[in-house]
Amino acid sequence: MPTPEQWKLWRQKRSWYERNSSRSRSRRLDRHAAEGGFFVRRPHEGEMLDGLDEGRVSVGEGTLFEPGCWVTLGPRAEIRIGEGCFLNRNVMLASVELIEIGDHTMFANGCVVGDGEHRYDDPEVPITWQGFKPRGPVRIGSNCWLGVNCVITGGVTIGDRAVVGANSVVTEDVPAGTIAVGAPAKIIREIDFKGSGSGN
Amino acid sequence: MPTPEQWKLWRQKRSWYERNSSRSRSRRLDRHAAEGGFFVRRPHEGEMLDGLDEGRVSVGEGTLFEPGCWVTLGPRAEIRIGEGCFLNRNVMLASVELIEIGDHTMFANGCVVGDGEHRYDDPEVPITWQGFKPRGPVRIGSNCWLGVNCVITGGVTIGDRAVVGANSVVTEDVPAGTIAVGAPAKIIREIDFKGSGSGN
Amino acid sequence: MPTPEQWKLWRQKRSWYERNSSRSRSRRLDRHAAEGGFFVRRPHEGEMLDGLDEGRVSVGEGTLFEPGCWVTLGPRAEIRIGEGCFLNRNVMLASVELIEIGDHTMFANGCVVGDGEHRYDDPEVPITWQGFKPRGPVRIGSNCWLGVNCVITGGVTIGDRAVVGANSVVTEDVPAGTIAVGAPAKIIREIDFKGSGSGN
């Protein structure tokens, strides 16, 4: 049987890990959403509420977070999301510096965008205590479509109306109007926009 | 503070996005499941209930949907799922025309099957408003095993007793009794069925 | 309308599939967690409680299971997890024999570790009834970092302080202090540990 001290520690962990389920935090997040015209389905993980309170997170009108999204950011990091975006189930945004997303961009289930990475190069310290190092801001344009389980790493810029294939890992820039697939992702072609003179 | 109009819009969104949690829709889905001998764990997203009501979705006896599955279909689309299938956590089926799945087929966590794709070729309109275009029916046979996070795209036929490796993206047909892996998935070998004369 | 017999079967399935939500099982799992100094967020799937009761699962102090983890093990299988590990959202561990994980190892969202695979080589029997065959224990060292959606298959050993890239499928050993990426995963370089004389 756990000791009273063990239960006390367990309860402290529970209130920290489940903080976003508290009535007061939940209501505050909905207030931001109602005011900004966006919507956050639950469960929702991370520090989006704190970032909204402090002005380090902004979310445009009409943007939707499906259940299971996890938005996390370091103490000085920013996340800027435009209007009319869709973040489907289990999408994660993890910012140590800056993640910028334009308008009407769609993230399929399970996409992960992170502008930093865990440090792992100190052989004496547990990796979980080494913190994150920034790899440069991530900028994703407007009207992009990121397929299922895409991973976008630090320092990457994705141009407007680009498409990224499912299960890709994007480690280099993707120009506007192109399609990239694979791990690491490579550009496979330009999109033939209707009426652009270049295609059907 | 949000205005009363902003809260009104927020509440309208909530009732739409959370419609599947309503007592009445939830009970109706369970009624279909009890009658058909299948089971749908919650949360469950999408329009499966509507499809079952209208006869455009059918699910065989013994089939199980684990939590987080998302079954969505367009206004005339169909989804036919056989008996004894397993759809593990966070599997998504998205039909604009037809998805057919045989009996005893297993989908590991996070698989996504879609017979259409978002249109993205109009440079003047937000991508989120361009709708879907069909890429041809998806037909998956009986006794298939689809590994974790497989993506099956439109127009693909997967034969009986085929196996698809984890994190694959299947864009071409997979013949019966073969193993395909990769993104895009390639056939790596035929299965040596016991007693088939071709193997152990 | 379902018959009373159909509802009875439906309710039997519900109590089996939702057993981990029962007050008594949930409380017993929390008791193990409080006593061992680890934490299990909900929902949590599988047989971890049974394995802890029987001593076939052990979890070190400070280890955290984020929501949606699924820990499943066969009747004689073992799972040993060290101290201070992080298993992020939707991580799955499936043991038919043995999965061993060291201390301070991090699994990003959606990783799947399995030491067996579904049998699929009997052409006469539904694949879902063919059971699992062991492919050898999986041993993952201490201070490893496994990226988003990594899959680790049976018989694989991953050395201490190794890093595996996102969306990788690891089918061969990864030596300590190296970085592996891809599907199947290949070693791309050794880590330059600070102060190790080999790098920055």
Side-chain angles (χ1 to χ4, degrees):
Chain A
M1 289 292 291
T3 64
E5 286 69 29
Q6 286 173 327
W7 276 122
K8 187 179 170 194
L9 178 59
W10 182 88
R11 279 191 301 268
Q12 285 171 340
K13 288 183 183 178
R14 184 179 58 178
S15 33
W16 174 246
Y17 294 135
E18 306 303 343
R19 66 195 180 285
N20 283 339
S21 306
S22 82
R23 199 178 188 79
S24 110
R25 281 181 67 87
S26 189
R27 194 64 180 164
R28 280 163 57 203
L29 182 58
D30 288 338
R31 208 177 294 145
H32 280 290
E35 197 160 7
F38 59 92
F39 199 89
V40 183
R41 297 186 65 193
R42 310 301 156 79
H44 184 82
E45 305 285 338
E47 296 81 36
M48 195 161 90
L49 170 61
D50 313 279
L52 287 162
D53 281 348
E54 300 167 19
R56 295 186 293 113
V57 170
S58 52
V59 181
E61 195 174 339
T63 287
L64 170 65
F65 296 82
E66 292 279 5
C69 287
W70 186 350
V71 176
T72 182
L73 64 173
R76 278 176 303 278
E78 296 179 33
I79 295 180
R80 305 294 171 195
I81 305 174
E83 300 182 0
C85 292
F86 286 86
L87 294 89
N88 280 0
R89 297 184 75 256
N90 302 320
V91 168
M92 182 173 198
L93 307 179
S95 175
V96 295
E97 196 174 358
L98 176 64
I99 295 175
E100 259 184 10
I101 298 165
D103 299 326
H104 305 291
T105 278
M106 300 187 294
F107 296 84
N109 295 341
C111 287
V112 175
V113 180
D115 70 340
E117 67 172 359
H118 285 287
R119 282 194 49 196
Y120 50 77
D121 59 353
D122 187 327
E124 310 293 335
V125 172
I127 184 171
T128 49
W129 305 352
Q130 295 185 35
F132 289 85
K133 64 177 173 199
R135 291 181 60 176
V138 172
R139 300 177 203 275
I140 300 175
S142 293
N143 293 293
C144 295
W145 174 27
L146 290 87
V148 179
N149 293 326
C150 281
V151 175
I152 315 293
T153 64
V156 164
T157 295
I158 298 181
D160 292 345
R161 297 191 182 271
V163 172
V164 179
N167 291 355
S168 297
V169 179
V170 183
T171 57
E172 293 179 8
D173 290 355
V174 178
T178 65
I179 300 177
V181 304
K186 301 291 174 196
I187 312 302
I188 55 164
R189 64 178 179 87
E190 294 188 17
I191 295 171
D192 287 335
F193 289 107
K194 289 191 308 183
S196 68
S198 66
N200 56 320
Chain B
M1 289 292 292
T3 64
E5 287 67 30
Q6 287 174 325
W7 275 123
K8 187 180 170 193
L9 178 59
W10 181 88
R11 280 192 300 268
Q12 285 171 339
K13 288 183 183 179
R14 185 178 58 179
S15 32
W16 173 247
Y17 294 135
E18 306 303 343
R19 66 194 180 284
N20 283 338
S21 305
S22 82
R23 199 178 188 79
S24 109
R25 280 181 68 87
S26 190
R27 194 61 179 167
R28 280 162 57 201
L29 182 58
D30 288 338
R31 208 176 295 144
H32 280 290
E35 197 161 6
F38 59 93
F39 198 89
V40 183
R41 298 186 64 194
R42 310 302 156 80
H44 184 81
E45 304 286 339
E47 298 80 36
M48 194 161 89
L49 170 60
D50 313 279
L52 287 162
D53 280 349
E54 300 167 19
R56 295 186 293 114
V57 170
S58 53
V59 182
E61 195 175 339
T63 286
L64 171 65
F65 295 83
E66 292 279 6
C69 287
W70 187 351
V71 176
T72 183
L73 64 172
R76 279 175 303 277
E78 297 180 33
I79 295 180
R80 306 293 171 196
I81 305 174
E83 300 183 359
C85 292
F86 285 86
L87 294 91
N88 281 359
R89 297 182 76 259
N90 301 321
V91 169
M92 183 174 197
L93 308 179
S95 175
V96 293
E97 196 175 0
L98 175 64
I99 295 175
E100 259 185 10
I101 299 164
D103 300 326
H104 305 291
T105 279
M106 300 186 295
F107 296 84
N109 296 340
C111 287
V112 174
V113 180
D115 69 341
E117 66 172 1
H118 285 287
R119 283 194 50 196
Y120 49 76
D121 59 354
D122 187 327
E124 309 294 333
V125 172
I127 184 171
T128 50
W129 305 353
Q130 295 185 35
F132 289 85
K133 64 177 173 199
R135 293 180 59 177
V138 173
R139 301 177 201 274
I140 301 175
S142 293
N143 294 292
C144 295
W145 173 27
L146 290 87
V148 179
N149 292 326
C150 281
V151 175
I152 316 293
T153 63
V156 164
T157 295
I158 298 181
D160 292 345
R161 295 189 184 274
V163 171
V164 179
N167 291 356
S168 298
V169 179
V170 182
T171 56
E172 293 179 9
D173 291 354
V174 178
T178 65
I179 299 176
V181 305
K186 300 291 173 195
I187 313 301
I188 55 164
R189 65 179 178 87
E190 293 188 16
I191 295 170
D192 288 334
F193 288 108
K194 288 191 311 185
S196 67
S198 65
N200 53 320
Chain C
M1 289 291 293
T3 65
E5 287 69 28
Q6 287 173 327
W7 275 121
K8 187 178 170 194
L9 178 59
W10 182 88
R11 280 191 300 267
Q12 285 171 340
K13 287 182 183 178
R14 185 179 59 178
S15 33
W16 173 246
Y17 294 135
E18 306 304 343
R19 65 195 180 285
N20 284 338
S21 305
S22 82
R23 200 178 187 79
S24 108
R25 281 181 67 87
S26 190
R27 194 63 180 166
R28 279 162 58 202
L29 182 58
D30 288 337
R31 208 177 293 144
H32 280 290
E35 196 161 7
F38 60 93
F39 199 89
V40 182
R41 297 186 65 194
R42 310 302 157 78
H44 184 82
E45 305 286 337
E47 298 81 36
M48 194 161 91
L49 170 61
D50 313 277
L52 287 162
D53 281 348
E54 299 167 20
R56 295 186 294 112
V57 169
S58 53
V59 181
E61 196 174 338
T63 287
L64 171 64
F65 295 83
E66 292 280 6
C69 287
W70 186 350
V71 176
T72 182
L73 66 173
R76 280 176 302 277
E78 296 179 33
I79 295 180
R80 306 293 171 194
I81 305 174
E83 300 182 359
C85 292
F86 286 85
L87 294 91
N88 281 1
R89 297 183 75 256
N90 301 322
V91 168
M92 183 174 198
L93 307 178
S95 175
V96 295
E97 197 175 358
L98 175 64
I99 294 175
E100 260 184 11
I101 299 164
D103 300 326
H104 305 290
T105 280
M106 300 186 294
F107 295 85
N109 295 342
C111 287
V112 174
V113 181
D115 70 341
E117 65 171 1
H118 285 287
R119 283 194 49 197
Y120 50 76
D121 58 355
D122 187 328
E124 310 294 334
V125 172
I127 185 171
T128 49
W129 305 353
Q130 294 186 34
F132 289 85
K133 65 179 172 196
R135 292 181 59 177
V138 172
R139 300 176 203 276
I140 301 175
S142 293
N143 294 293
C144 295
W145 174 27
L146 290 87
V148 179
N149 292 326
C150 281
V151 175
I152 317 293
T153 63
V156 164
T157 296
I158 297 181
D160 292 345
R161 296 188 183 274
V163 172
V164 179
N167 291 357
S168 297
V169 179
V170 183
T171 57
E172 293 179 8
D173 291 355
V174 178
T178 64
I179 300 176
V181 304
K186 301 291 174 195
I187 313 302
I188 54 164
R189 64 179 180 88
E190 295 188 16
I191 295 170
D192 287 335
F193 288 109
K194 289 191 310 182
S196 67
S198 65
N200 54 322

